[in-house]
Amino acid sequence: MWSFKTKMSKYQKVGVLICTLAVILYVLTFVMESYQRPETIKVKELRKRRSFCNGSVHFLLPDDTVIDEMDTDTLYDVFSRYTTRQQIRCCNISRAGSLDTFGKNICLDYFQKVRGSCLVYSFGSEFHFEFENSIWKDFKCEIHTFDPSHSTNGVQIPKGVNFHLIGLSDNDITIPAPESLKDFTTWPIKRLSSIRRSLRHEKRYIDILKIDIEGFEWKVLPDVIQSRDLRYVRQICLEIHFGFRFENVWSGNRVVDYRYTNSTWGNVTIANQLKVLRNLYDNGFRIFKSEPIAGWGMYNIRKPKKSINTLIEISLVNIYN
């Protein structure tokens, strides 16, 4: 009887060892999956949700140390290669508004499901409401448009649009108005987190975030990422102004050309502009549509010898919500 108990104890030890090895194997598998490339995780996510058609093989931006070593021509070349390639295929792309820069591309793969309860923020309008009118007509979203640059006196704000004389920034401050835009002597500008809080939207998702703020996207987007407001954004329509800033050349009251300056858009270095795009990617945003703004912002590089379009509209979806 004593030897039988001893034998059973050995079997128990073997069983415990097997169970322990199984647990270790499971933990290792979980850890390895956690360190997969974002693209692998993305494909699993998409298959599970079936919101989008499928992912695309695309060019990835390098890490900070590599970007910091790039010369100006390389930065421009990498920017072009990154922004002109589709990163995810949206099955149903719709143009909200006109075909010019006042209209935007949106992905309807999941957007149709939230008709009537969707939320749209539009920054930078100059009273061109083609985008907002289309969204209201087709989806009846709650729409908030923000632009501090002009007075609303005598302006007919369209039905369905809540207009705010506020700009988007990385700080809650009031700044002097530019000399060329003197409807007001100062402009109030606020962080996205402050705007969401003032509208009591902290717990609501923004279905479309439209940003066209003349180069200051490079200062705003890092704050939106750091504040974690980006987690509540489902897609972004973004007009990018990359690299060195240019000024219009006027003849009378007509713009006839442009010339580059020594300053950068938003006063953010070109390398840091590229890092902002990489951070958007790291936070789940994939380009489904890219459209250069023809005729403006062409920058010539020597290695490789080609012209880079520095003004470009990109539309992105968040694969994580």
Side-chain angles (χ1 to χ4, degrees):
M1 180 64 86
W2 180 85
S3 62
F4 176 75
K5 286 183 179 180
T6 304
K7 191 173 183 180
M8 287 296 294
S9 178
K10 290 180 180 180
Y11 283 133
Q12 288 174 350
K13 290 179 180 179
V14 171
V16 169
L17 179 61
I18 292 174
C19 290
T20 302
L21 290 173
V23 170
I24 292 172
L25 181 62
Y26 176 80
V27 171
L28 287 174
T29 302
F30 177 79
V31 170
M32 291 298 293
E33 287 183 351
S34 299
Y35 282 93
Q36 291 184 82
R37 290 175 59 83
E39 288 308 297
T40 306
I41 298 172
K42 178 191 71 175
V43 171
K44 290 183 178 180
E45 175 81 8
L46 297 179
R47 286 175 179 169
K48 181 179 178 181
R49 291 173 57 234
R50 297 184 179 180
S51 294
F52 305 98
C53 294
N54 62 287
S56 303
V57 176
H58 52 271
F59 177 76
L60 297 176
L61 292 174
D63 61 26
D64 287 0
T65 56
V66 176
I67 292 176
D68 287 334
E69 294 297 321
M70 293 179 180
D71 60 24
T72 299
D73 281 3
T74 304
L75 289 169
Y76 272 96
D77 185 41
V78 169
F79 164 78
S80 179
R81 292 169 63 190
Y82 181 77
T83 55
T84 56
R85 285 167 169 78
Q86 184 188 59
Q87 297 174 350
I88 193 169
R89 186 162 69 92
C90 175
C91 300
N92 301 288
I93 298 176
S94 177
R95 186 71 177 179
S98 55
L99 294 176
D100 57 24
T101 59
F102 300 113
K104 305 297 174 186
N105 295 304
I106 61 174
C107 180
L108 301 182
D109 286 5
Y110 73 96
F111 192 77
Q112 292 169 319
K113 299 177 183 178
V114 293
R115 178 185 173 92
S117 62
C118 41
L119 178 62
V120 174
Y121 280 15
S122 174
F123 290 96
S125 73
E126 296 185 356
F127 298 135
H128 292 275
F129 294 107
E130 293 92 334
F131 167 75
E132 287 89 342
N133 286 336
S134 177
I135 293 293
W136 175 255
K137 176 184 175 183
D138 294 338
F139 304 106
K140 296 297 185 292
C141 295
E142 180 180 341
I143 303 171
H144 293 268
T145 299
F146 306 83
D147 195 324
S149 61
H150 297 285
S151 170
T152 57
N153 292 336
V155 177
Q156 182 66 43
I157 305 300
K159 180 181 179 181
V161 175
N162 302 281
F163 193 85
H164 309 268
L165 289 167
I166 299 172
L168 185 61
S169 179
D170 59 341
N171 278 298
D172 295 341
I173 56 176
T174 299
I175 62 172
E179 288 295 327
S180 58
L181 298 169
K182 281 296 186 180
D183 283 4
F184 304 103
T185 57
T186 59
W187 288 0
I189 54 178
K190 292 185 178 182
R191 302 172 65 206
L192 181 62
S193 56
S194 301
I195 292 171
R196 292 180 65 228
R197 185 165 54 251
S198 67
L199 295 174
R200 298 183 180 179
H201 290 162
E202 300 103 309
K203 296 182 180 180
R204 289 189 63 183
Y205 281 89
I206 301 172
D207 294 282
I208 302 177
L209 174 62
K210 192 207 84 172
I211 300 177
D212 180 2
I213 54 176
E214 304 304 315
F216 286 98
E217 61 270 14
W218 304 120
K219 295 184 75 68
V220 165
L221 287 171
D223 178 68
V224 175
I225 293 170
Q226 186 176 13
S227 66
R228 309 188 79 180
D229 287 277
L230 207 60
R231 296 182 305 164
Y232 292 91
V233 177
R234 290 197 166 108
Q235 54 184 295
I236 301 175
C237 300
L238 177 63
E239 182 174 297
I240 290 178
H241 309 71
F242 185 78
F244 291 111
R245 189 174 62 84
F246 63 79
E247 297 174 339
N248 293 330
V249 176
W250 295 80
S251 176
N253 59 357
R254 292 190 310 114
V255 177
V256 295
D257 203 354
Y258 59 90
R259 59 170 171 260
Y260 279 95
T261 69
N262 293 324
S263 61
T264 54
W265 291 106
N267 295 318
V268 174
T269 66
I270 301 176
N272 283 342
Q273 292 176 17
L274 209 57
K275 293 174 188 178
V276 172
L277 292 176
R278 210 240 2 267
N279 287 336
L280 278 177
Y281 185 95
D282 291 344
N283 280 271
F285 282 87
R286 304 290 184 268
I287 299 171
F288 68 86
K289 185 72 173 178
S290 173
E291 291 184 336
I293 300 174
W296 292 95
M298 301 303 297
Y299 187 89
N300 297 320
I301 62 174
R302 289 174 291 182
K303 294 181 181 181
K305 188 175 181 179
K306 63 180 178 179
S307 294
I308 304 295
N309 199 312
T310 65
L311 292 185
I312 187 166
E313 297 263 3
I314 60 172
S315 301
L316 311 96
V317 289
N318 187 346
I319 65 170
Y320 297 141
N321 66 24

